[in-house]
Amino acid sequence: MTNAPAARPYRRPRPDAARLAAYDVLHAVGERDAYANLVLPALLRERRIIPRDAAFATELVHGTLRRQGTYDRIVAACTDRPIQEIDPPVLDVLALGVHQLLSMRTPVHAAVSATVELARAVLGDGRAKFVNAILRRVSKQDLDTWLRQIAPPYEDDPEGHLAVLHSHPRWIVQALWDALGARGNPHDRAAMEALLAADNLAPVISLVARPGRVELAELYEAGATPGRWSPYAATLPEGDPAAIKAIRDGRAAVQDEGSQLVAAALANAEVEGAESRWLDLCAGPGGKAGLLAAIATGRDVSLLAVERRHHRARLVRNAIGHLTHHQVITADGTRPAWRPGSFDRVIADVPCSGLGALRRRPESRWRRKPEDIPELGELQRALLRTAVAAARPGGVIAYVTCSPHPAETRVVVDDILRADEAELIDARPLFPGVPHLGSGPDVQLWPHLHGTDAMYLALLRRRG
Ligand SMILES: C[S@@+](CC[C@H](N)C(=O)[O-])C[C@H]1O[C@@H](n2cnc3c(N)ncnc32)[C@H](O)[C@@H]1O
C-alpha cells in the first residue's frame, strides 16, 4: 500500500457550444479567409445552437473580430513573448477571452474559466495555462485603462491614437480621414471619432419593399417599422428577416438604405425622351438590380444585368424573380456584348475595398491591404469607361462604391471625365430629405451621419 495521493482522473475539457462555435468561426476566418457573416449562421444552424447561445456567439464573433487588432496589442502588453511568435489559434482564443473580459458583461470568473476550458479543448493543456495567465493579467484593468496605456497620445500621433482606440488599421484611419475632409482639422476630431465608433456598431436591419411587388404595409404587419430615408425602406428592430414571407419569396429583401438611395437616385435622374433599356454592369448579388428591375417593370423598361461570376449571377436572377422583360447574363462587363450608346440608364456598382461597409464585415478591416486600392482602381476605371460608352447621348450613368476612399471615388471619376464623353451632374437633389450631403455634385453617405453604409454616388450624363 502506498501513501501517494491518487492521480486526479483526466477530465475531458468540455467547452460550451457558443464559445466553441465562436472559436471555430474565428479559426475559419483566419485560416481560410472565410467570411464570418456567412460561416457563423450556417454553423449555428448546423449545430442547433439555441437562440440565447446563438446571440452570445454572434456578439462574441463580431465584437472580437472588429476589435482583434486592439486585443492583440493588449495581449502583447501582458507577455514578454513577441506577438508574432504566438500561434494564430492561441491569439484567437485569447481575443475571445479579452472581448468577454473587457467589452461584454461576462463576469471575470466565468470569462476566464470558460475560455481556459475552450483552450484546453482546442489548444491542449500546456497552451491553456498560457491563456489562463494572460487573461488573468488582462482582467486586472478595464478597457479604458488598457487603451490609455497602449495608445500613443493623440497630440503626438492622432492617427495612431484613433487606430488603437477604435480598433482600425492605421492606413484605414488615414483613408477615412482623407475622405471625411477633416484631416488636420482639430475641430473635426469628433466627426472622425463618430465615424470610427459607428464602424464598431452592428447596423440595424434595413429591408427594401420592391415596388410593385409588395407594399410597405405588409412589412410593417410583420413587425418592421418605417425606414429613415428611402421611400422603399423599412427597419426590422428584432427577429429574423427570413421569418417574413415577403422576404422568403423575394418581393422584399434585406438591403442597406444607402444602396436603395443610390439605385433610386439613378432611376429618378432626369433623362430626356422615351426610355427602353437600362444596364446594371456589376449586378451580383443583385440588391440594386432587384430594386431597379422592380422600378423598371413599372415603367415598361427592360433591365440587362451583367455579372462576371456564375454563382452571383444566379443570385441576381433570384433577386429579379419572375419579373418579365429583364435579362441576367454572366459576362465580363469590360467586354461589352452590346452596341455602344444603347442604354438610357447605366449603373456601375464596381468592386471596391468595402471600407464603407466595415460594420457588416467585421474581419474585413484587417484583411484589406493598402495595395488593394490601386489594383481595384484599374478595374474600376475600366468598368466606368464601359458604363459611359454604353449610355446613349443624354443618358445617365451612376458610378457607385461602398467605399469612401478618395482613390476609389473622386479620383476614378475625375480620370474618366478627362475623356470628355460625359459630365458630372448634381446628385444631391435626388436624395430628398437627406441631410449632410456636402458640397456635391457627387454624394457620400456616412454611417455616423445617415446610419447607412458609406455609399458613394457620382452621376454622369453622356454627352451628345
Ligand atoms: C460591389 S458588387 C455589386 C453589388 C450589386 N450591385 C448589388 O447591389 O448587390 C460588384 C460585383 O461586380 C462583379 N464584377 C467584378 N468584376 C466584374 C466585371 N469585370 N464584369 C462584371 N461584373 C464584375 C463582382 O463579382 C461583384 O459581384
Side-chain angles (χ1 to χ4, degrees):
M1 217 172 132
T2 155
N3 288 333
R8 263 199 293 165
Y10 178 74
R11 194 175 58 77
R12 189 185 292 279
R14 258 190 301 166
D16 61 274
R19 287 178 178 86
L20 184 59
Y23 169 79
D24 287 339
V25 174
L26 255 61
H27 192 62
V29 166
E31 191 75 345
R32 53 182 170 87
D33 280 355
Y35 294 98
N37 56 5
L38 298 182
V39 176
L40 177 65
L43 197 145
L44 294 174
R45 262 196 311 274
E46 185 190 304
R47 296 189 188 170
R48 297 167 190 254
I49 292 180
I50 58 167
R52 199 196 52 200
D53 288 352
F56 180 78
T58 303
E59 161 54 28
L60 196 48
V61 166
H62 286 221
T64 304
L65 284 172
R66 282 195 195 101
R67 293 209 163 260
Q68 198 151 20
T70 301
Y71 292 161
D72 286 352
R73 306 268 294 249
I74 293 174
V75 167
C78 293
T79 169
D80 295 332
R81 276 171 67 185
I83 191 106
Q84 304 83 330
E85 288 177 13
I86 304 177
D87 287 342
V90 179
L91 286 175
D92 284 346
V93 172
L94 282 167
L96 289 169
V98 177
H99 186 63
Q100 294 165 65
L101 285 170
L102 301 184
S103 302
M104 292 177 82
R105 267 173 279 159
T106 319
V108 172
H109 170 73
V112 174
S113 65
T115 308
V116 170
E117 197 71 359
L118 171 69
R120 290 184 64 215
V122 299
L123 304 173
D125 283 350
R127 298 199 286 182
K129 280 195 190 123
F130 176 69
V131 167
N132 184 35
I134 298 282
L135 291 183
R136 287 192 185 284
R137 267 171 238 158
V138 171
S139 71
K140 300 273 187 272
Q141 301 183 156
D142 65 10
L143 182 61
D144 285 346
T145 313
W146 274 116
L147 292 177
R148 273 199 301 278
Q149 191 174 319
I150 61 172
Y154 183 84
E155 295 65 32
D156 296 350
D157 178 3
E159 283 144 3
H161 178 85
L162 295 184
V164 174
L165 223 65
H166 297 282
S167 213
H168 283 61
R170 173 191 281 269
W171 75 274
I172 294 184
V173 174
Q174 283 166 343
L176 294 177
W177 217 331
D178 280 345
L180 210 50
R183 204 142 176 238
N185 178 351
H187 298 299
D188 275 329
R189 173 179 175 182
M192 189 58 197
E193 294 221 45
L195 169 59
L196 297 173
D199 274 350
N200 288 335
L201 297 175
V204 296
I205 301 174
S206 280
L207 310 179
V208 60
R210 292 176 171 152
R213 303 184 68 188
V214 66
E215 298 293 329
L216 277 166
E218 188 177 328
L219 300 182
Y220 299 154
E221 269 166 38
T225 55
R228 275 177 96 180
W229 317 114
S230 156
Y232 311 111
T235 300
L236 191 63
E238 58 183 3
D240 179 5
I244 299 177
K245 183 169 183 308
I247 302 241
R248 282 200 308 278
D249 57 26
R251 292 174 295 128
V254 174
Q255 186 177 37
D256 181 64
E257 277 204 58
S259 288
Q260 299 180 35
L261 287 173
V262 296
L266 172 68
N268 294 333
E270 204 183 314
V271 167
E272 276 187 16
E275 294 184 47
S276 58
R277 296 179 79 197
W278 295 357
L279 172 66
D280 183 341
L281 200 55
C282 303
K288 295 178 196 71
L291 177 54
L292 287 169
I295 299 173
T297 300
R299 297 191 200 169
D300 211 14
V301 165
S302 67
L303 175 76
L304 173 63
V306 179
E307 166 55 48
R308 192 167 64 179
R309 297 214 220 137
H310 250 304
H311 71 281
R312 289 173 79 87
R314 231 187 357 255
L315 298 174
V316 182
R317 276 182 207 107
N318 290 345
I320 290 176
H322 302 302
L323 298 178
T324 46
H325 11 275
H326 308 306
Q327 200 189 354
V328 181
I329 58 170
T330 307
D332 179 347
T334 63
R335 294 162 176 242
W338 47 85
R339 251 185 263 139
S342 44
F343 295 93
D344 307 292
R345 298 173 199 266
V346 180
I347 180 165
D349 182 13
V350 297
C352 70
S353 63
L355 297 191
L358 297 180
R359 307 178 302 166
R360 290 178 199 286
R361 302 173 197 143
E363 70 283 333
S364 69
R365 68 187 69 178
W366 310 112
R367 191 172 280 169
R368 277 282 171 212
K369 298 286 168 251
E371 49 280 16
D372 297 341
I373 307 290
E375 206 171 292
L376 285 162
E378 274 179 41
L379 179 58
Q380 291 161 347
R381 282 170 181 76
L383 286 163
L384 180 52
R385 224 174 275 124
T386 319
V388 170
R392 59 135 159 120
V396 282
I397 304 107
Y399 175 76
V400 176
T401 63
C402 63
S403 165
H405 195 306
E408 299 184 86
T409 56
R410 285 190 175 179
V411 176
V412 170
V413 174
D414 286 347
D415 278 357
I416 299 309
L417 288 175
R418 260 185 227 118
D420 228 16
E421 288 175 348
E423 61 192 357
L424 262 182
I425 53 181
D426 194 351
R428 291 171 300 165
L430 295 156
F431 290 72
V434 181
H436 309 299
L437 294 179
S439 53
D442 45 5
V443 161
Q444 178 63 66
L445 300 172
W446 293 106
H448 64 297
L449 294 177
H450 304 105
T452 63
D453 290 341
M455 300 294 299
Y456 171 84
L457 168 70
L459 270 186
L460 287 70
R461 188 179 304 285
R462 178 88 153 97
R463 289 193 204 273

